[in-house]
Amino acid sequence: MSRFFSLLPLTLVLAACGGESAPADPAANAQAKPDSVSAKPASQPKPSVAAMDPAKLKDPCIFTKEEVGKTFGITIATTEPEKMGQMSGCTYKGDKGSLRINFIAHDPGYFDMAVASMKKMKPGRKVDIAGDPDGAWMQFVSETGGYLNYNRQNVSIEILPMMDASESNAATQEKLLSMRRIP
């Protein structure tokens, strides 16, 4: 019984260390457990989409003032481009409201996961546009208005009208879908 108690501390130490005993030869120990510096990093997922040339988003005010004004029946006075990390955007300010467009660049290796996460996190009712080549969907947070979302390569595009006059979801969707797709 005394032999049992003399081996107990060694058993507890081995259990705390994962239950393995280290080989007596240091070279064998290095082969048995590589250190974190020499271990290979996990491979990145194969990209599901091609990366967009950043030059395409150099000026995020891609729509003209005239085309935004014509689509929404407003006069656009100014455009305000912005860049915030992986997101760029433009606000078209008019006499009866404004239109905001956002471009969100995602890592091509994680694109599908990023888009699914964004769609899940956004509030409101989401409606996929059947057969849309850009995976477009509408987001409705009330009975009026709505936002258009679609993807080009590794970039998600959001078009958000913020108008004084409220229109039905269907009317807003029709206007947004009539706009040319960019970039």
Side-chain angles (χ1 to χ4, degrees), residues 52 55-65 67-68 79 90 92 101 103 180-183:
M52 183 176 291
K56 283 188 171 185
L57 301 175
K58 185 176 181 182
D59 179 10
C61 296
I62 296 174
F63 290 125
T64 66
K65 291 179 187 179
E67 67 187 317
V68 171
T79 58
C90 183
Y92 296 81
I101 183 167
F103 302 97
R180 68 183 169 100
R181 296 285 174 93
I182 54 174

Coordinates of all heavy atoms in Angstrom, one line a residue, residues 52 55-65 67-68 79 90 92 101 103 180-183:
M52 N -12.3 41.6 -56.1 CA -12.5 42.8 -57.0 C -11.3 43.7 -57.0 O -10.6 43.9 -56.0 CB -13.7 43.5 -56.6 CG -14.1 44.7 -57.5 SD -15.6 45.5 -57.1 CE -16.8 44.3 -57.5
A55 N -9.5 49.4 -57.5 CA -9.6 50.6 -58.3 C -11.1 50.8 -58.7 O -11.5 52.0 -58.9 CB -8.7 50.5 -59.5
K56 N -11.9 49.8 -58.8 CA -13.3 49.9 -59.2 C -14.1 50.7 -58.1 O -15.1 51.2 -58.4 CB -13.9 48.5 -59.4 CG -13.6 47.9 -60.7 CD -14.4 46.6 -60.8 CE -14.3 46.0 -62.2 NZ -15.2 44.9 -62.4
L57 N -13.6 50.7 -56.9 CA -14.3 51.4 -55.8 C -13.5 52.6 -55.3 O -13.8 53.2 -54.3 CB -14.5 50.4 -54.6 CG -15.3 49.2 -55.0 CD1 -15.3 48.2 -53.8 CD2 -16.6 49.5 -55.4
K58 N -12.6 53.1 -56.2 CA -11.8 54.3 -55.8 C -12.8 55.5 -55.5 O -12.6 56.2 -54.5 CB -10.8 54.6 -56.8 CG -9.9 55.7 -56.5 CD -8.8 56.0 -57.5 CE -7.9 57.1 -57.1 NZ -6.9 57.4 -58.1
D59 N -13.7 55.7 -56.4 CA -14.7 56.7 -56.2 C -16.1 56.0 -56.0 O -16.7 55.5 -56.9 CB -14.9 57.6 -57.4 CG -15.9 58.7 -57.2 OD1 -16.5 58.8 -56.1 OD2 -16.3 59.3 -58.2
P60 N -16.5 55.9 -54.7 CA -17.8 55.2 -54.4 C -19.0 55.8 -54.9 O -20.1 55.3 -54.9 CB -17.7 55.0 -52.9 CG -16.9 56.1 -52.4 CD -15.9 56.4 -53.5
C61 N -18.9 57.1 -55.4 CA -20.1 57.8 -55.9 C -20.2 57.4 -57.4 O -20.1 58.2 -58.3 CB -20.0 59.3 -55.7 SG -19.9 59.8 -54.0
I62 N -20.5 56.1 -57.7 CA -20.5 55.6 -59.0 C -21.8 56.0 -59.8 O -21.7 56.3 -61.0 CB -20.4 54.0 -59.0 CG1 -19.0 53.7 -58.4 CG2 -20.6 53.4 -60.3 CD1 -18.8 52.2 -58.2
F63 N -22.9 56.1 -59.2 CA -24.1 56.6 -59.8 C -23.9 58.1 -60.1 O -23.3 58.8 -59.3 CB -25.4 56.4 -59.0 CG -25.8 55.0 -58.8 CD1 -26.0 54.5 -57.5 CD2 -26.1 54.2 -59.8 CE1 -26.4 53.2 -57.3 CE2 -26.5 52.9 -59.7 CZ -26.7 52.4 -58.4
T64 N -24.5 58.6 -61.2 CA -24.5 60.0 -61.4 C -25.7 60.7 -60.6 O -26.6 60.0 -60.2 CB -24.7 60.4 -62.9 OG1 -26.0 60.0 -63.3 CG2 -23.7 59.7 -63.7
K65 N -25.5 61.9 -60.3 CA -26.6 62.6 -59.6 C -27.9 62.5 -60.4 O -29.0 62.4 -59.8 CB -26.3 64.1 -59.4 CG -25.1 64.4 -58.4 CD -24.9 65.9 -58.4 CE -23.7 66.2 -57.6 NZ -23.5 67.7 -57.6
E67 N -29.0 60.2 -62.5 CA -29.7 58.9 -62.5 C -30.3 58.6 -61.2 O -31.4 58.0 -61.2 CB -28.8 57.7 -63.0 CG -27.6 57.4 -62.1 CD -26.7 56.3 -62.8 OE1 -27.2 55.3 -63.4 OE2 -25.5 56.5 -62.7
V68 N -29.7 59.0 -60.1 CA -30.4 58.8 -58.8 C -31.6 59.7 -58.7 O -32.7 59.3 -58.3 CB -29.4 59.2 -57.6 CG1 -30.1 59.2 -56.3 CG2 -28.3 58.2 -57.6
T79 N -22.9 65.0 -53.4 CA -22.5 63.6 -53.1 C -21.4 63.7 -52.1 O -20.6 64.5 -52.1 CB -22.1 62.9 -54.4 OG1 -20.9 63.6 -54.9 CG2 -23.2 62.8 -55.4
C90 N -21.2 56.1 -50.5 CA -21.5 57.5 -51.0 C -22.9 57.8 -50.6 O -23.8 57.0 -50.7 CB -21.4 57.5 -52.5 SG -21.7 59.2 -53.2
Y92 N -25.9 60.4 -51.5 CA -26.5 61.4 -52.5 C -27.5 62.2 -51.8 O -28.6 61.6 -51.5 CB -27.1 60.6 -53.7 CG -26.1 59.8 -54.5 CD1 -25.7 58.6 -54.0 CD2 -25.5 60.3 -55.6 CE1 -24.8 57.8 -54.8 CE2 -24.6 59.6 -56.4 CZ -24.2 58.3 -55.9 OH -23.3 57.6 -56.6
I101 N -25.3 54.4 -50.7 CA -24.8 53.2 -51.2 C -23.5 52.8 -50.5 O -22.7 53.6 -50.2 CB -24.5 53.3 -52.7 CG1 -24.1 52.0 -53.3 CG2 -23.5 54.4 -53.0 CD1 -24.1 51.9 -54.8
F103 N -20.4 49.8 -50.1 CA -19.6 48.7 -50.7 C -18.8 48.1 -49.6 O -18.0 48.7 -49.0 CB -18.7 49.2 -51.8 CG -19.3 49.9 -52.9 CD1 -19.4 51.3 -52.9 CD2 -19.9 49.2 -54.0 CE1 -20.0 52.0 -54.0 CE2 -20.5 49.9 -55.0 CZ -20.6 51.3 -55.0
R180 N -29.2 50.5 -62.6 CA -28.1 49.7 -63.1 C -27.3 49.1 -61.9 O -27.2 49.7 -60.9 CB -27.3 50.4 -64.1 CG -26.4 51.5 -63.5 CD -25.6 52.3 -64.5 NE -25.0 53.5 -64.0 CZ -23.7 53.5 -63.6 NH1 -22.9 52.5 -63.8 NH2 -23.3 54.7 -63.1
R181 N -26.8 47.9 -62.2 CA -26.0 47.3 -61.1 C -24.5 47.8 -61.2 O -24.0 47.9 -62.3 CB -26.0 45.8 -61.3 CG -27.4 45.2 -61.1 CD -27.8 45.2 -59.6 NE -29.1 44.7 -59.4 CZ -29.5 43.5 -59.2 NH1 -28.6 42.5 -59.1 NH2 -30.7 43.2 -59.0
I182 N -24.0 48.1 -60.1 CA -22.6 48.6 -60.1 C -21.8 47.8 -59.0 O -22.4 47.2 -58.1 CB -22.6 50.1 -59.7 CG1 -23.4 50.4 -58.5 CG2 -23.1 50.9 -60.9 CD1 -23.3 51.7 -58.0
P183 N -20.6 47.8 -59.0 CA -19.6 48.2 -60.1 C -19.5 47.2 -61.1 O -19.8 46.0 -61.0 CB -18.3 48.4 -59.3 CG -18.4 47.4 -58.1 CD -19.9 47.3 -57.8

